[in-house]
């Protein structure tokens, strides 16, 4: 298959900003701020090479064993900031693979599926690795258990959300034009949009002296996301 002509970096970033980034910023603003611009530049550079989107996805997946190795092999005080950095790099590559696929016309269902699986495992391992390192730094702590619950609530919320929007369940009914967004909904979007900040927060929060308490933010966001998604699903299907 012949590759589509590559746009200039300026045109590509401008197109992304006017379209996908503005839409994504409504619910995932931290990704747009801390990942998307860097991922776009990286993807545009890789588009001039023989790199494939699948290779970028798998490279991002390497962050998974790296985070576990850091948790087990380094002192907890040193490990957590590096785990956060590895998690951020994994997220960056997770954004770059999709951009590269669109730039080069190499989108595929297999690529999307592998990307989804790597993304889910990477997030769960990020929390668990921090929990392991926190327990090693604080003998007798229970941070691994907190991390495990945070990972589970995230996966639960994602599965419920995918069912709601037709990925796993029925295709959603057309919703029509979007109406005005309430202040409560805007506040919810802001809080859930913090999600992309978690690798950065975990590392910097640990360096600031919060210790294992840094895991309370992903735990809280995971519980909030799971409860809000579950309520929305139950309300929707109760009307049908």
């Amino acid at each position: 298959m012949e590759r589509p002509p590559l746009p200039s970096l300026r045109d590509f970033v401008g197109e992304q900003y006017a379209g996908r980034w503005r839409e994504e910023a409504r619910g995932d603003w931290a990704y747009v701020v801390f990942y998307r611009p860097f991922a776009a530049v990286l993807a545009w550079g890789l588009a001039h090479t023989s790199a494939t989107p699948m290779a970028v996805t798998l490279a991002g997946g390497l962050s998974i064993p790296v985070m576990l190795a850091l948790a087990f092999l380094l002192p907890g005080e040193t490990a957590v900031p590096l785990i956060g950095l590895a998690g951020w790099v994994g997220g960056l590559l997770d954004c770059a693979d999709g951009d590269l696929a669109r730039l080069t016309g190499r989108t595929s269902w297999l690529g999307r599926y592998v990307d989804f699986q790597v993304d889910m495992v990477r997030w769960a391992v990020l929390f668990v690795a921090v929990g392991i390192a926190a327990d090693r730094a604080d003998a007798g702590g229970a941070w691994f258990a907190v991390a495990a619950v945070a990972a589970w609530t995230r996966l639960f919320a994602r599965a419920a959300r995918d069912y709601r929007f037709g990925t796993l369940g029925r295709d959603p009914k057309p919703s029509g034009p979007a109406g005005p967004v309430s202040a409560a909904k805007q506040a919810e979007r802001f809080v859930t949009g913090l999600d992309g900040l978690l690798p950065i927060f975990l590392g910097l929060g640990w360096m600031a002296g919060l210790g294992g308490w840094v895991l309370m933010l992903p735990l809280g966001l995971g519980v909030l996301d799971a409860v809000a998604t579950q309520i929305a699903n139950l309300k929707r299907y109760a009307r049908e």
Side-chain angles (χ1 to χ4, degrees), residues 49-99:
T49 72
S50 59
T52 65
M54 181 66 78
V56 177
T57 299
L58 296 178
L62 290 176
S63 63
I64 295 169
V66 167
M67 288 188 289
L68 289 174
L70 292 170
F72 282 111
L73 299 179
L74 293 183
E77 295 81 358
T78 307
V80 174
L82 294 177
I83 291 170
L85 177 61
W88 179 83
V89 171
L92 174 67
L93 294 174
D94 178 55
C95 294
D97 60 4
D99 288 345

Side-chain angles (χ1 to χ4, degrees), residues 30-182:
Y31 279 100
V32 176
V33 175
F34 295 100
Y35 295 85
R36 290 298 182 189
F38 309 104
V41 174
L42 176 59
W44 187 84
L46 291 174
H48 292 80
T49 72
S50 59
T52 65
M54 181 66 78
V56 177
T57 299
L58 296 178
L62 290 176
S63 63
I64 295 169
V66 167
M67 288 188 289
L68 289 174
L70 292 170
F72 282 111
L73 299 179
L74 293 183
E77 295 81 358
T78 307
V80 174
L82 294 177
I83 291 170
L85 177 61
W88 179 83
V89 171
L92 174 67
L93 294 174
D94 178 55
C95 294
D97 60 4
D99 288 345
L100 180 61
R102 282 181 287 274
L103 274 168
T104 59
R106 292 175 172 175
T107 58
S108 69
W109 284 109
L110 176 61
R112 293 176 183 177
Y113 180 74
V114 173
D115 177 63
F116 169 78
Q117 294 295 322
V118 170
D119 184 44
M120 291 297 95
V121 176
R122 177 172 49 80
W123 276 109
V125 169
L126 170 66
F127 301 153
V128 169
V130 172
I132 293 170
D135 278 353
R136 293 183 64 222
D138 178 17
W143 297 118
F144 176 80
V146 173
V149 174
W152 181 84
T153 54
R154 181 182 180 86
L155 297 176
F156 175 85
R158 180 61 182 265
R161 187 161 50 250
D162 283 348
Y163 189 98
R164 175 185 176 189
F165 289 108
T167 306
L168 301 175
R170 294 174 294 172
D171 290 334
K173 296 180 178 179
S175 57
V181 179
S182 67

